[in-house]
Amino acid sequence: SSMAGLRICSALVTGANRGIGLGLVRHLLRVSNPPKWVFAACRDPKGERAQELQHLASKYPNLVIMPLEVTNPASIQAAAARVGEHLKGSGLNLLINNAAILLNRTLDTETLEGMSQIYTTNTIGPLLVSQFLPLLKKAAQGSPGSELSCSKAAIINISSNGGSIDSIYGWDLLQVVSYRCSKAALNMLTKCQSLGYREHGILCAALHPGWVQTDMGSSAGHAPPVTVDMSVQGMLNVLSTLSEKDIGTFLDWEGKVVSW
């Protein structure tokens, strides 16, 4: 398939029970050379919002579902320990920080609580999840060659062009100030991670999945143009091509550069 360049032994996706996260899990399981382990993390794996994920797990023995609340360090630590147990000494190749929330608020209706909640999940979460760093480092060390790639070790942050300060995309449709601020900050975090983790052989980049037909994407009352399958297939194609030159970049699901 067009993802032939992506050869990973293990991947972890946060916010994996629906929308883009679920799509990523589904596609990773179905590629021609699937990972030995796909870890699907979400807040409530046993809840009704995770039924599709549970159904997939009954068909794919390489899918491991685990509880993970990205705003809770103890929850992250427990998940990292479980992933480590499954990997038995090999590392984690790919960490996709996808978990995010959106509140449809305007400048006039944003609040301290709302802003804090969004920022904690969308920006601080992907920082805290770097507790998986030892497993990512292990994957980088265990991978031959010095070239950085998603097949070796990578942190991919699912961002949004809504966080682009340059283009301020879709303002007329949706202000979502807190969401935009959280994604602009996530982009800076990605840049910092790319600089800090490069020496460990870990590639870090941010991806804009497109405006996708999910519960979150449709919350503005408009029909988004991109399906989950189109977005996910595109993003995985992009991941399969990432290399040294793409460290700390912000790309969309078709591989085009998104301006900061």
Side-chain angles (χ1 to χ4, degrees):
S1 76
S2 45
M3 272 180 52
L6 200 59
R7 296 186 181 278
I8 49 179
C9 291
S10 57
L12 185 143
V13 180
T14 69
N17 60 310
R18 56 199 191 123
I20 291 165
L22 181 62
L24 282 163
V25 168
R26 195 177 270 132
H27 276 255
L28 283 167
L29 291 168
R30 290 181 184 161
V31 294
S32 52
N33 46 350
K36 186 178 173 189
W37 296 110
V38 176
F39 300 101
C42 61
R43 277 186 294 200
D44 182 14
K46 295 191 163 58
E48 59 179 68
R49 276 180 151 180
Q51 278 176 341
E52 271 186 79
L53 202 51
Q54 293 290 354
H55 179 63
L56 274 179
S58 66
K59 295 195 294 191
Y60 294 94
N62 57 332
L63 173 60
V64 178
I65 306 175
M66 55 180 57
L68 175 61
E69 170 53 75
V70 297
T71 62
N72 180 335
S75 169
I76 296 168
Q77 213 152 6
R82 277 193 61 189
V83 170
E85 281 167 26
H86 280 280
L87 292 174
K88 293 186 176 64
S90 61
L92 177 67
N93 299 112
L94 180 60
L95 169 61
I96 302 180
N97 284 315
N98 165 72
I101 54 174
L102 177 146
L103 292 172
N104 193 353
R105 299 210 175 131
T106 63
L107 271 175
D108 304 337
T109 56
E110 288 289 0
T111 61
L112 170 65
E113 295 76 24
M115 196 93 178
S116 305
Q117 184 194 3
I118 294 270
Y119 191 83
T120 303
T121 298
N122 296 5
T123 312
I124 302 175
L127 168 76
L128 296 178
V129 174
S130 60
Q131 283 196 30
F132 286 97
L133 201 58
L135 292 169
L136 288 156
K137 283 182 183 172
K138 201 176 269 184
Q141 286 154 6
S143 168
S146 56
E147 267 294 294
L148 270 69
S149 77
C150 290
S151 299
K152 181 176 187 146
I155 297 174
I156 301 297
N157 294 325
I158 303 297
S159 185
S160 167
N161 64 353
S164 165
I165 293 172
D166 193 52
S167 76
I168 210 64
Y169 174 85
W171 174 259
D172 306 336
L173 285 176
L174 214 52
Q175 287 189 14
V176 289
V177 175
S178 54
Y179 180 79
R180 289 178 185 276
C181 291
S182 73
K183 291 300 192 179
L186 177 64
N187 289 346
M188 176 52 95
L189 174 65
T190 306
K191 201 69 167 175
C192 295
Q193 287 175 328
S194 72
L195 297 168
Y197 299 156
R198 179 184 207 156
E199 62 184 294
H200 301 301
I202 301 165
L203 184 152
C204 303
L207 280 187
H208 163 56
W211 186 18
V212 183
Q213 295 166 16
T214 61
D215 292 347
M216 187 193 279
S218 307
S219 61
H222 299 270
V226 184
T227 66
V228 170
D229 278 342
M230 283 160 64
S231 168
V232 167
Q233 184 64 56
M235 288 195 291
L236 291 175
N237 288 342
V238 172
L239 293 192
S240 70
T241 66
L242 294 184
S243 65
E244 208 94 19
K245 67 179 190 329
D246 303 299
I247 290 171
T249 53
F250 183 18
L251 304 170
D252 73 9
W253 61 287
E254 296 176 299
K256 300 189 190 90
V257 173
V258 184
S259 61
W260 297 116

